[in-house]
């Protein structure tokens, strides 16, 4: 159970089957902008289906693609070795003929000339381009937020910097009661730090999981020593002290902001692609420009199950979209119709969530949330939009299958 997933995770980590049918004529040059789950999954899929052309993968990160969910979970908690994190060894890219260029910033896209412009002035030509730029953390803007002991968590380097800080820290303040924020809180408690969580919310994760699960998550973290300061926020960080709007002060040798992320849309916007709170794509993950695809955290796509256009910031979705985008770049014309899935790890409790429910009018609870044996169905107009479970892996899989079957039958 390396990352909190048991056989649910194993099932979802299985390789996407090779496509059926024949593709159109393959492009000679494919460029992928982004070094995360989406970009890696796309490059790996291209080679898996025996694409022989050029693959250039441009990443502004200084590390090859890593298992990012582990950064807030087991690795940050000290329960996972560093060699678990890379998705593949560095030799994989050379062996597969994937030109992975790290520390490479893309400055723009010449749509008409089909070139990616790099910050150093050079260009990389493409026949097909995949934008997989992902998201970036929202940063604190209060006075003192630029101090070295104040962190966000997105990259491998971010995680290592936090871990280094924990070696001398006694107290930590986590800003935000989101999935990332509370996973960080759990990991820092595992390292023995005193942890305070500050958030404007009435309950942790209530917007996504509802009030009952929110109360459970708060109680779970309090059982492990996390102190909450809800319906509050930081107004300043003065040295090793966080000033709160309520007037209180918290000691903080370490501060981690988990207050959300925003999609990195600047390249798409500058290139003139259609953008609507994300890069707008069709069912094949094509943007408004036929030679450019977008996938992962930046993509807003037509979800066949909910009937809405949605954008989801979750690892499994990013991987699956990368795979589908790769196939469609090669002309297979496969619609992206996978049901969204994510999991969140808190100490020994893993919460699985399938579907997507931004709003619901009914929440049906089966089982006992406090007893860590439950299934929650989020409904609108009587129809189940999403299901969250704790230690009911089979029900999670069954809910996903039911959603997939409904899409297939439509």
């Amino acid at each position: 159970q390396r990352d909190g997933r048991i056989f649910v995770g194993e099932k979802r980590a299985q390789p996407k089957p090779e496509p059926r049918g024949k593709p159109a004529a393959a492009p000679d040059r494919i460029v992928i902008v982004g070094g995360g789950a989406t970009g890696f999954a796309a490059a790996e899929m291209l080679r898996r289906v025996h694409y022989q052309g050029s693959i250039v993968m441009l990443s502004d990160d200084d590390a090859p693609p890593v298992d990012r969910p582990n950064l807030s979970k087991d690795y940050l908690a000290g329960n996972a070795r560093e060699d678990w994190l890379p998705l593949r060894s560095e030799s994989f890219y050379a062996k597969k003929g994937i030109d992975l260029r790290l520390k490479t910033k893309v400055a723009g896209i010449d749509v008409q000339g089909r070139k990616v412009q790099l910050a150093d002035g050079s260009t990389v030509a493409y026949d097909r381009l995949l934008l997989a730029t992902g998201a970036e953390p929202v940063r604190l803007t209060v006075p003192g937020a630029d101090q070295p002991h104040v962190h966000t968590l997105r990259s491998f380097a971010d995680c290592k910097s936090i871990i280094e800080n924990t070696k001398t820290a006694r107290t930590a303040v986590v800003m935000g009661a989101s999935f990332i924020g509370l996973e960080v809180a759990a990991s820092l408690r595992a390292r023995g730090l005193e942890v305070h969580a500050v958030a404007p919310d009435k309950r942790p994760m209530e917007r996504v999981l509802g009030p009952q699960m929110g109360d459970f998550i708060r109680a779970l973290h309090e059982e492990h020593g996390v102190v909450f300061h809800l319906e509050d926020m930081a107004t300043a960080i003065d040295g090793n002290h966080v000033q709160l709007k309520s007037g209180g002060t918290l000691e903080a040798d370490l501060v981690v902001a988990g207050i959300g992320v925003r999609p990195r849309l600047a390249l798409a916007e500058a290139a003139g692609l259609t953008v609507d709170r994300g890069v707008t794509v069709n069912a094949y993950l094509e943007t408004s420009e036929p030679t450019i695809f977008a996938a992962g955290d930046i993509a807003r796509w037509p979800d066949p199950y909910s009937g809405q256009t949605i954008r989801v910031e979750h690892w499994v979705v990013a991987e699956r979209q990368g795979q589908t985008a790769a196939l469609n770049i090669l002309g297979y014309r496969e619609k992206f119709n996978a049901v969204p899935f994510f999991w969140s790890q808190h100490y020994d409790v893993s919460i699985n969530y399938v579907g997507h429910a931004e709003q619901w009018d009914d929440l049906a609870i089966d089982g006992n949330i406090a007893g860590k044996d439950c299934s929650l169905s989020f409904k609108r107009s009587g129809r189940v939009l999403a299901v969250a479970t704790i230690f009911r892996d089979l029900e999670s899989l069954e809910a996903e299958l039911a959603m997939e079957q409904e899409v297939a039958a439509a």
Side-chain angles (χ1 to χ4, degrees):
Q1 193 179 336
R2 174 174 122 180
D3 56 12
R5 295 171 295 177
I6 313 175
F7 70 87
V8 170
E10 293 172 1
K11 180 261 186 188
R12 290 183 171 110
Q14 288 173 2
K16 184 181 178 75
E18 292 192 15
R20 291 172 289 183
K22 295 182 179 179
D28 292 328
R29 300 168 298 183
I30 297 173
V31 173
I32 299 169
V33 180
T38 303
F40 172 81
E44 192 274 337
M45 176 58 79
L46 289 168
R47 290 304 189 221
R48 194 194 310 170
V49 296
H50 312 298
Y51 171 66
Q52 300 297 314
S54 166
I55 302 174
V56 177
M57 190 173 176
L58 306 172
S59 172
D60 60 3
D61 205 334
D62 59 1
V66 298
D67 179 16
R68 183 171 288 135
N70 231 321
L71 297 182
S72 60
K73 299 180 174 71
D74 284 345
Y75 182 67
L76 181 57
N79 299 325
R81 302 192 309 269
E82 187 166 317
D83 60 6
W84 279 10
L85 291 180
L87 294 179
R88 292 290 191 278
S89 65
E90 291 191 34
S91 62
F92 167 85
Y93 301 94
K95 181 179 177 181
K96 294 294 184 180
I98 298 169
D99 183 3
L100 173 60
R101 304 184 190 180
L102 301 175
K103 303 179 185 178
T104 302
K105 183 173 178 58
V106 175
I109 302 167
D110 178 357
V111 176
Q112 298 304 316
R114 297 191 184 181
K115 295 178 182 178
V116 173
Q117 300 159 338
L118 305 184
D120 64 6
S122 63
T123 61
V124 182
Y126 67 84
D127 297 307
R128 294 292 184 273
L129 174 66
L130 172 60
L131 291 180
T133 47
E136 61 188 5
V138 176
R139 299 184 181 278
L140 292 172
T141 57
V142 300
D146 58 349
Q147 296 178 84
H149 69 295
V150 180
H151 305 265
T152 56
L153 176 57
R154 184 69 178 177
S155 68
F156 193 13
D158 292 338
C159 190
K160 288 194 286 188
S161 182
I162 293 170
I163 290 171
E164 186 64 27
N165 206 159
T166 65
K167 294 177 181 179
T168 55
R170 182 181 62 84
T171 60
V173 172
V174 175
M175 301 294 184
S178 64
F179 295 102
I180 293 296
L182 290 187
E183 288 177 354
V184 167
S187 294
L188 295 180
R189 285 295 298 139
R191 287 184 178 270
L193 275 70
E194 177 184 322
V195 178
H196 293 255
V198 179
D201 315 274
K202 185 177 181 179
R203 295 180 178 89
M205 304 187 200
E206 180 177 8
R207 183 182 62 81
V208 176
L209 295 176
Q212 297 90 340
M213 189 75 89
D215 287 339
F216 164 74
I217 291 169
R218 174 177 180 168
L220 176 65
H221 281 269
E222 287 178 334
E223 287 173 11
H224 287 81
V226 175
V227 179
F228 282 91
H229 305 266
L230 298 174
E231 299 182 271
D232 208 346
M233 60 182 64
T235 57
I237 303 173
D238 182 9
N240 284 17
H241 292 86
V242 174
Q243 308 292 335
L244 300 181
K245 186 177 181 179
S246 62
T249 301
L250 300 175
E251 286 190 28
D253 303 319
L254 166 66
V255 178
V256 182
I259 55 177
V261 298
R262 58 171 62 94
R264 300 173 69 184
L265 304 177
L267 284 176
E269 290 174 328
L273 304 181
T274 300
V275 172
D276 174 20
R277 297 166 296 146
V279 180
T280 301
V281 297
N282 63 15
Y284 304 101
L285 304 179
E286 297 168 321
T287 70
S288 54
E289 166 56 46
T291 61
I292 301 178
F293 293 71
D297 292 356
I298 63 170
R300 181 170 291 277
W301 82 95
D303 174 36
Y305 184 74
S306 67
Q308 298 177 315
T309 57
I310 65 175
R311 188 180 66 81
V312 175
E313 297 162 350
H314 296 303
W315 182 259
V316 174
V317 173
E319 288 182 314
R320 290 173 172 175
Q321 285 194 345
Q323 293 172 335
T324 299
L327 297 177
N328 289 327
I329 284 171
L330 299 181
Y332 281 97
R333 305 300 289 173
E334 289 205 1
K335 291 183 178 181
F336 182 75
N337 53 18
V339 175
F341 165 79
F342 71 84
W343 81 100
S344 186
Q345 181 76 20
H346 304 264
Y347 311 100
D348 62 340
V349 176
S350 182
I351 301 170
N352 293 327
Y353 182 102
V354 296
H356 185 76
E358 293 185 11
Q359 295 180 327
W360 65 87
D361 54 31
D362 183 29
L363 175 54
I365 302 174
D366 180 73
N368 187 331
I369 297 177
K372 304 174 186 176
D373 174 23
C374 61
S375 173
L376 284 70
S377 297
F378 301 83
K379 302 178 181 180
R380 188 170 62 236
S381 301
R383 182 168 179 265
V384 175
L385 296 180
V387 173
T389 59
I390 298 177
F391 293 133
R392 290 194 177 185
D393 293 348
L394 183 58
E395 285 190 35
S396 179
L397 288 170
E398 289 172 342
E400 182 178 25
L401 179 60
M403 294 177 192
E404 290 174 346
Q405 289 175 334
E406 184 173 329
V407 169

